[in-house]
Amino acid sequence: MSVEIEVVDDPARACSVMLIGAAARGGHIALAGGSTPKAAYSEFVAAVQAVGLDLTATTFWFGDERCVAPEDDRSNFKMVKESLLDPLGDLCRAKVRRIKGELGPQGAAEDYERQLRDDGPPGFELVLLGLGPDGHTASLFPDQESLAIRSQLAFGVSEAGLEPFVPRVTLTLPALAASRRVVFLASGAAKAHAVRAAFAPGALPDPHFPASLVVPEARAITVLLDGPAAQELAGVEHT
């Protein structure tokens, strides 16, 4: 396991470069919700359009989803559709495996589990994750039952630990860690404490900060931060 921390002016742009690399390899990619990933998707679209990258062999998955209809403004799928899939238009020949949140947490988790086991790889090429100010990632919230799930790839979360307070479906820790590389994106001073708790040298796995539990299980982790998000990390240079 290795953790690379990069403090950059534009985490979204740095993330888009990694997305391009994974897509160019024809990989299975797990996408994240949130404003910084959304910006990364826009950068990814511009790069794909510029070089005409063939996405035929690429499959997009989701790290988590809210249990709402796909056209609901709270849906991660809707955000990805509007910021990535629709703008690509005819260039988007990638396969998309969405979490059917409208089925409810249990039904959607069971359906996604089937998709992952029937159509998914032994591991992802890249898993993209955000980081909440409470240390949650995907829909793995502090001290919840989901953190102990080992035999499932997808899990229904009946009660979210942060707004919006709707049920969720999330990839489990073993599913997230089964990736060639996990990329965390965090920006803003509100994330600084969670960044330190999860990724600072000497930080220990702690169920109070679920992102920290990914660290000992993943093969390789890249943490992309802006200056404010990195302000509690000592000795990390801006690149």
Side-chain angles (χ1 to χ4, degrees), residues 13-207:
R13 178 164 295 179
C15 177
S16 72
V17 173
M18 304 191 80
L19 285 170
I20 286 287
R25 291 188 291 271
H28 290 254
I29 299 171
L31 301 175
S35 57
T36 307
K38 181 179 179 179
Y41 303 150
S42 296
E43 296 275 359
F44 174 80
V45 168
V48 171
Q49 291 172 335
V51 302
L53 182 65
D54 184 2
L55 299 178
T56 305
T58 302
T59 303
F60 290 124
W61 300 81
F62 288 78
D64 72 323
E65 181 59 281
R66 287 83 179 258
C67 289
V68 296
E71 64 272 11
D72 191 291
D73 287 341
R74 296 169 293 181
S75 166
N76 286 337
F77 172 77
K78 181 181 181 183
M79 183 274 280
V80 169
K81 184 176 184 294
E82 292 178 346
S83 61
L84 193 158
L85 304 178
D86 288 349
L88 281 175
D90 291 341
L91 287 174
C92 189
R93 299 184 179 91
K95 294 180 284 293
V96 180
R97 299 286 185 257
R98 77 174 182 90
I99 301 173
K100 299 172 185 175
E102 66 272 20
L103 298 178
Q106 181 173 345
E110 291 173 353
D111 177 83
Y112 203 47
E113 182 90 17
R114 284 192 294 270
Q115 292 189 65
L116 287 160
R117 294 196 181 277
D118 292 346
D119 303 326
F124 294 97
E125 181 71 23
L126 184 147
V127 168
L128 177 60
L129 293 172
L131 179 70
D134 61 346
H136 88 268
T137 191
S139 282
L140 298 168
F141 294 100
D143 303 310
Q144 287 197 352
E145 177 188 3
S146 58
L147 303 181
I149 301 300
R150 311 303 302 180
S151 62
Q152 296 170 225
L153 302 175
F155 185 75
V157 179
S158 60
E159 185 175 346
L162 203 68
E163 292 184 346
F165 293 107
V166 295
R168 317 284 184 96
V169 173
T170 185
L171 291 180
T172 59
L173 283 167
L176 292 174
S179 176
R180 178 174 176 176
R181 182 166 296 275
V182 176
V183 178
F184 282 91
L185 271 176
S187 58
K191 309 289 182 70
H193 179 64
V195 167
R196 178 169 61 83
F199 307 117
L204 298 175
D206 185 346

